[in-house]
Amino acid sequence: MPHSPYRIIVLISGFGSNLQAIIDQINRKFIPGIVSAVLSDKEKAYGLQRAAHADIPAIFINPKNYRDTAAFEQALMEQMDHYQPDLIVLSGFMRILSPAFVEHYAGRLINIHPSLLPKYPGLSTHAKVLARGDSLHGSTVHFVTDELDSGPLIATITLEVNEDDTVETLKARVQAKEHILYPTIIKWFAEGRLRLEGKTVYLDQLALPEAGVELKPE
């Protein structure tokens, strides 16, 4: 059973713009929950400063202090489990997680990816969109599995690619959309509306299509 208030942990490796959007929407009471802690594998990740500024525990765990990935992940899980999270949110956490880690948080681990999955998993998505001449781009929130960017899809948000778009302008426009999409998905979790059973995602007791739902903000 989820706790009250709903407890969210965010994992980051960098700037943390989606983390900030989540914090802002919690402060606005859009998301009925709290960020219990922010953890990073990078000491200088700016997202840790964002967390500290919001009086959220900001924790750096140095992978170099552990003999291998399994030991690092064990330390990470021990820190996370201290906060008894209801949901773990990946926000630019640049590590591929092991099957053991994913299984430990099955149904509670989500990620946001800057493409319309299953197109363009991995890095350099904006450059790939421009190179292929795609007319549409966007972002996808999905449950995490041990296979890169391939877990069950929850929702997407789209935008039209402009003729004069560059990698930089496209990245900025996609991030602005993500700041709508990610807090909305987290809100659904916190309200008890969203769940994963097997490989099927349910929203308001209805099974979603494999492509998830498309969020269309008013």
Side-chain angles (χ1 to χ4, degrees):
M1 291 291 294
H3 302 90
S4 181
Y6 193 83
R7 300 174 186 174
I8 302 158
I9 281 181
V10 183
L11 303 184
I12 63 167
S13 293
F15 192 64
S17 68
N18 274 307
L19 167 65
Q20 189 64 57
I22 293 164
I23 293 171
D24 291 345
Q25 292 298 352
I26 287 173
N27 290 339
R28 296 183 181 118
K29 310 299 184 184
F30 177 75
I31 298 172
I34 60 170
V35 175
S36 297
V38 174
L39 293 88
S40 179
D41 61 336
K42 303 292 184 183
E43 185 176 14
K44 297 187 182 300
Y46 184 68
L48 290 176
Q49 295 184 43
R50 296 182 187 272
H53 183 73
D55 294 322
I56 297 167
I59 302 165
F60 164 56
I61 301 180
N62 190 347
K64 294 179 181 178
N65 291 343
Y66 301 92
R67 64 183 181 276
D68 54 25
T69 297
F72 166 75
E73 287 191 346
Q74 183 61 39
L76 185 62
M77 288 190 289
E78 288 175 2
Q79 285 279 358
M80 292 166 61
D81 289 348
H82 172 74
Y83 294 95
Q84 298 181 288
D86 298 302
L87 182 68
I88 296 92
V89 174
L90 305 186
S91 179
F93 189 62
M94 303 303 289
R95 302 183 71 90
I96 297 176
L97 298 167
S98 71
F101 187 99
V102 172
E103 178 62 28
H104 186 69
Y105 298 109
R108 294 186 288 153
L109 185 60
I110 62 172
N111 182 47
I112 193 164
H113 182 73
S115 79
L116 299 176
L117 291 173
K119 295 183 75 172
Y120 311 131
L123 302 176
S124 304
T125 60
H126 312 302
K128 292 173 183 176
V129 164
L130 293 174
R132 296 287 180 88
D134 292 355
S135 60
L136 291 178
H137 189 26
S139 190
T140 305
V141 176
H142 63 94
F143 284 97
V144 176
T145 66
D146 55 304
E147 188 175 345
L148 180 65
D149 298 328
S150 65
L153 306 186
I154 300 170
T156 60
I157 195 165
T158 63
L159 55 81
E160 293 185 359
V161 180
N162 297 328
E163 290 186 2
D164 59 350
D165 264 323
T166 64
V167 168
E168 290 74 21
T169 63
L170 202 51
K171 177 181 178 180
R173 293 175 61 219
V174 169
Q175 284 186 337
K177 293 285 190 179
E178 289 183 342
H179 298 166
I180 299 170
L181 176 63
Y182 223 5
T184 299
I185 303 307
I186 294 167
K187 172 183 172 70
W188 291 348
F189 272 104
E191 292 174 340
R193 298 172 56 192
L194 191 64
R195 73 182 193 279
L196 178 67
E197 289 188 9
K199 296 183 178 180
T200 302
V201 181
Y202 289 85
L203 176 63
D204 295 332
Q205 309 302 321
L206 298 176
L208 299 186
E210 287 188 6
V213 295
E214 183 180 352
L215 187 68
K216 296 182 178 181
E218 296 180 0

